[in-house]
């Protein structure tokens, strides 16, 4: 292997790591919204009545987040 090949391999590896970290960051940033949506789906499918107080979120918190 020559230095050119080694340099390209290092750059490609760092590019892949950067892309992976960016994707993980996006998923983690959306995780609270995903959890709230999942709780809402479970509540609708279960036929539970009531608001979001049981999940720890109030209307005030939801309106601030959206």
């Amino acid at each position: 292997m020559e230095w050119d090949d080694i340099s390209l391999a290092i750059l490609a590896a760092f590019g892949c790591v950067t892309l992976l970290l960016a994707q993980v960051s996006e998923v983690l940033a959306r995780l609270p919204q995903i959890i709230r949506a999942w709780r809402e789906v479970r509540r609708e499918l279960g036929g539970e009545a009531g608001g979001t107080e049981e999940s720890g979120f109030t209307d005030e918190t939801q309106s601030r987040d959206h």
Side-chain angles (χ1 to χ4, degrees), residues 30-58:
R30 294 174 191 249
L31 193 59
Q33 183 181 5
I34 292 170
I35 291 171
R36 279 193 295 270
W38 176 248
R39 286 179 177 165
E40 184 178 340
V41 166
R42 284 181 48 203
R43 189 173 54 244
E44 291 294 326
L45 290 177
E48 295 178 18
T52 58
E53 289 82 13
E54 66 188 33
S55 65
F57 295 104
T58 61

Side-chain angles (χ1 to χ4, degrees), residues 6-45:
I6 293 171
S7 298
L8 285 176
I10 291 172
L11 286 173
F14 277 111
C16 289
V17 168
T18 302
L19 182 62
L20 177 67
L21 290 176
Q23 293 299 313
V24 168
S25 174
E26 287 293 320
V27 169
L28 290 177
R30 294 174 191 249
L31 193 59
Q33 183 181 5
I34 292 170
I35 291 171
R36 279 193 295 270
W38 176 248
R39 286 179 177 165
E40 184 178 340
V41 166
R42 284 181 48 203
R43 189 173 54 244
E44 291 294 326
L45 290 177

